Amino acid sequence: MEARANLIRERNLRRLLVYLYRKEHALKVDMARDTGLSVVTVNALVRKLVEEKWLLEGEQVQPNPGRPATAYTFNYNHEFFALFAVKDRNGKLVVDAKIVNLKGEAEFQETFDFSGITLGNLCKIVYSVLQKNPEISKIAVSIPGKISEGQVTSSWHSKLDDWSIMKALQELSGLPVVVQNDAHVMTLGYSLLQRISIRKTTIVGVFFPLQSMPGITILIDGKLMEGNHSLAGEGKYLPFLMDSGVPQTKGKQLADLAQIVEIYNAVLAPTSFILAAEKEDEQAVREFLASRPHLDLQPNKPTIYIDHDFQKSVWQGLFWLAAQYDEKLYFFE
């Protein structure tokens, strides 16, 4: 009986916390009306949230009609996340770093040279960022590679292969750490930003920069399809890419991208594709795909989305991943 009461209390707490996260400011009467919780329940939960510093008490306001009441504000600085994106920039690796609050607002941002590609150097970068804010509670990292059971199985020019990034960063920081493939993070982030439902759908995301091999994501009913050793969708092992190698020209890149879309459209029949491409390249991508006879003949007609801001999607995806560690912080539908 007590366990059931605790479960109901936690559900009510989560409902109120999510409401306040989205609302930002509210009176108790608003909380009760908008969440369907009783006034007695709201009073008890607000007292707990103020004690835990999730809510900040404001000034007395005069509702019309009604008695003066205290305004409460969600404390977006209750926790901070450290986000790291390891990425290719002009043929060299860099690490983009951010410290964000629960609203995703950045209080620190910097790009670090990562030409010395070692796990030790990555740890040094992460450690230097963690010193900026002692209230960081979680770390999220995206890498150009695949992760299986905490270990990199396939990566950018094989430079990160066999790294145990998650373990190393956990030992360094004592914090929860999530490490994920950059194409996966982009696909999740873009879906959130564009409010594309990931439930009851199949989404294929493709990140295919020039002079690099593609990163491919398979998202089915909100879950990543990882496969054995998390190698599902690893584009560089597609036979035609293994034969032809990294595309060196825009024309070859477009042709390879089109072939990837055709293959995954036939095998998975996805609801949609999310393709990372510069804004000025969108028309060329769409025209090239439209010119392909195979796509026209295939019965599945997916929606094609073009992500013009890969890094923005990565930040959103990393923020979402960091928030998953605590159910109370799961503020997304």
Side-chain angles (χ1 to χ4, degrees), residues 68-194:
T70 302
Y72 293 89
T73 300
F74 188 92
N75 180 16
Y76 293 106
N77 291 332
H78 184 271
E79 290 192 32
F80 291 87
F81 303 149
L83 312 179
F84 300 89
V86 181
K87 66 179 190 178
D88 181 317
R89 177 175 292 173
N90 301 321
K92 295 182 179 180
L93 287 189
V94 298
V95 179
D96 281 346
K98 263 189 182 185
I99 298 174
V100 301
N101 67 4
L102 293 176
K103 201 173 185 178
E105 298 168 331
E107 68 157 25
F108 169 84
Q109 184 168 358
E110 190 171 334
T111 297
F112 297 86
D113 174 70
F114 193 40
S115 52
I117 308 172
T118 67
L119 182 54
N121 282 338
L122 179 61
C123 288
K124 288 178 182 178
I125 291 170
V126 172
Y127 181 79
S128 70
V129 173
L130 295 181
Q131 303 315 298
K132 306 291 183 183
N133 186 329
E135 296 183 15
I136 291 169
S137 61
K138 300 172 185 72
I139 297 170
V141 184
S142 69
I143 66 165
K146 296 278 191 173
I147 310 291
S148 177
E149 298 180 355
Q151 195 160 1
V152 181
T153 56
S154 178
S155 66
W156 183 87
H157 300 294
S158 301
K159 296 292 186 180
L160 285 66
D161 286 7
D162 301 321
W163 287 14
S164 297
I165 299 176
M166 189 180 301
K167 180 181 178 182
L169 295 184
Q170 285 172 338
E171 291 176 350
L172 172 76
S173 66
L175 298 174
V177 177
V178 60
V179 183
Q180 189 53 273
N181 170 261
D182 54 5
H184 293 355
V185 175
M186 177 273 291
T187 304
L188 288 166
Y190 184 85
S191 298
L192 288 164
L193 288 168
Q194 301 300 319

